[in-house]
Amino acid sequence: MARIAVIGAGTGAMAAAARLAVAGHRVAVYERTDTYGGALRRFARDGFSFDTGPGLLPLPAVYRDLFVKTGKEPLEACAELVQVDPSSRHVFADGTAVSLPNASRAGVVAALDEGLGAGAGQRWGDFLVRAREAWDRTRRPLLEEPLWPNWQVLAEREPYPAVPHKRLLRTRRAGTLAEVGAWELRDPRLAALLESHALSHGLDPRTTPASAAVLPYMEHAFGTWYVRGGMRELARAVYERCLARGVVFHFGAEVTGVLEKDGRAAGIELADGTAVEADHVVAGVSPGVLDRLAGRAVRDDGGVRPQPAAAARLTVLLALRGARPEGTAHRTVVHTPDREAELDALFGAAEPAGRPTVTVLRPGDERSAPEGHEAVTVTAVVPARPDRSWDDVAERMVTAAGRAVPGLRERVLWRELRTPADIADATGAEGGAVPVPALAAAGGRLLHPSNTTVVPGLFAVGGWAHPGGGLPHAGMSGALVAGLIVEGPGFRGSQ
């Protein structure tokens, strides 16, 4: 039985803690804030409650597997998962709108043909077939296995089978997501639909590799899910599973250092000077924080040089008078009228201007608002700058959301903002940045360093380690770290 100290109580860290406890280890979690869940937080006021982090769950099989492997009660016995249908509604710049059924290729094809014109659905359906091939080629190395020592294979090969495209007397293949949209989908609305999947993760579709086609494919193939009572309920379920397996939590316990002895991790030091001995240390923190705790650069990147996450999220929480109309889509994406200007503002030097792309979540959950009222969240991707005022951007977000919520401004009782500074406070991430999921190609800049580090016994877990950001990816990082500790460096992932 090994003593294991876990730094942070984010979802990935708790997933590792539960698996390690089941394997017979003594696990203690040290969290600097007063609660668990990392970015999965909840804000409540006057009978209204809102998710302030991720609002939906893709690939729920990751958490079903966690619960199967750590106890008798399945995930559905601990949290109520609801498949969202339609999966999303999209309102495009030209005013057209389309609702996409959940996990139904035929339904999506029919909806796009009806909403965007004959042929649109077939082009999207053909794209999904190619995206599936990219998924099949990368699923194991990007989600289910520790980072390959020869990760360059993933970095150099583009797994998306792009269609040959004749341009200026040359035959070319799409190398970026934006080129896939322009050359293969051939409709600005379909391109906006595709690019919105990258943008929601803080990725610039103009430079994001075509392999990002796996992002819309995951949603199409495995569905989109909501947890009744809010996504915070998923964090609660994982936390309670940890408690049931004997994991001990220490809240308000700030870790200030990783201790080493004889060249390997030997424990942690707390802000009050307490030294905690451990045989292994699992750190669910960002790279800069981990290096600071260890007193040196410790990420075992093996040459991986990921680009720093530069994007965060701004969320407007809206308490509305009046009930949610029957048949309202849970999620609506309202696309910007000027995508190029939006991307320049997010990923270049331009100042934010105009109407941004926003995601409007209207869960229709009776637990989220008093009877006869509605709780709505409006989210946009913004630069990771916790030092600025976001009131002007929030105003433009509410204006954009009005295209999805008729009479929105007249219905507002009050509103609250959740800014990059709030994300930084909750997660410790520099600037409130949100980590991106690992993707193949692009020279490896969208891969993440290994879960192992240069210090034996010190492991990295969560969105800032392989396989990157997103709830499914965080859960998989917990499985990988647990496997590396229990089975050793020869661990190659679940079969």
Side-chain angles (χ1 to χ4, degrees), residues 142 154 203 208-209 211-215 437-442 444-448 467:
L142 286 182
L154 288 171
L203 294 167
T208 298
S211 65
V214 299
L215 299 175
L439 294 172
R445 62 183 174 81
L446 292 175
L447 297 175
H448 289 257

Side-chain angles (χ1 to χ4, degrees), residues 229-442:
M231 292 300 296
R232 173 70 175 174
E233 288 295 289
L234 177 64
R236 174 200 56 75
V238 177
Y239 169 67
E240 291 181 354
R241 176 54 54 91
C242 286
L243 293 179
R245 301 286 79 83
V247 177
V248 177
F249 284 80
H250 302 273
F251 295 108
E254 182 178 1
V255 176
T256 55
V258 173
L259 304 176
E260 292 186 38
K261 183 178 180 181
D262 299 329
R264 64 170 290 116
I268 59 173
E269 183 175 13
L270 302 180
D272 63 5
T274 302
V276 179
E277 294 183 355
D279 301 297
H280 301 281
V281 175
V282 176
V285 297
S286 62
V289 173
L290 181 55
D291 289 346
R292 187 167 68 249
L293 294 179
R296 59 192 171 105
V298 297
R299 298 299 290 272
D300 185 13
D301 57 27
V304 172
R305 293 289 183 269
Q307 64 180 13
R313 295 189 181 99
L314 179 65
T315 301
V316 186
L317 315 177
L318 298 172
L320 304 185
R321 62 170 59 88
R324 174 183 183 268
E326 190 71 26
T328 296
H330 186 121
R331 173 178 57 172
T332 299
V333 179
V334 182
H335 295 266
T336 180
D338 192 342
R339 175 59 56 81
E340 201 68 25
E342 177 180 44
L343 296 178
D344 286 342
L346 284 173
F347 305 105
E351 279 296 310
R355 197 179 72 217
T357 295
V358 298
T359 298
V360 183
L361 296 182
R362 306 176 69 183
D365 186 339
E366 64 276 3
R367 304 186 208 177
S368 67
E371 186 176 357
H373 294 76
E374 184 179 7
V376 173
T377 63
V378 183
T379 304
V381 175
V382 297
R385 288 186 51 193
D387 57 338
R388 69 156 288 172
S389 169
W390 295 102
D391 290 341
D392 57 333
V393 180
E395 276 297 314
R396 293 198 292 272
M397 289 169 61
V398 172
T399 297
R403 301 184 70 201
V405 187
L408 173 61
R409 288 190 180 274
E410 293 74 20
R411 295 179 59 195
V412 174
L413 294 169
W414 50 262
R415 78 183 193 191
E416 292 274 351
L417 288 187
R418 283 298 173 267
T419 70
D422 296 312
I423 296 175
D425 287 342
T427 67
E430 293 89 341
V434 177
V436 302
L439 294 172

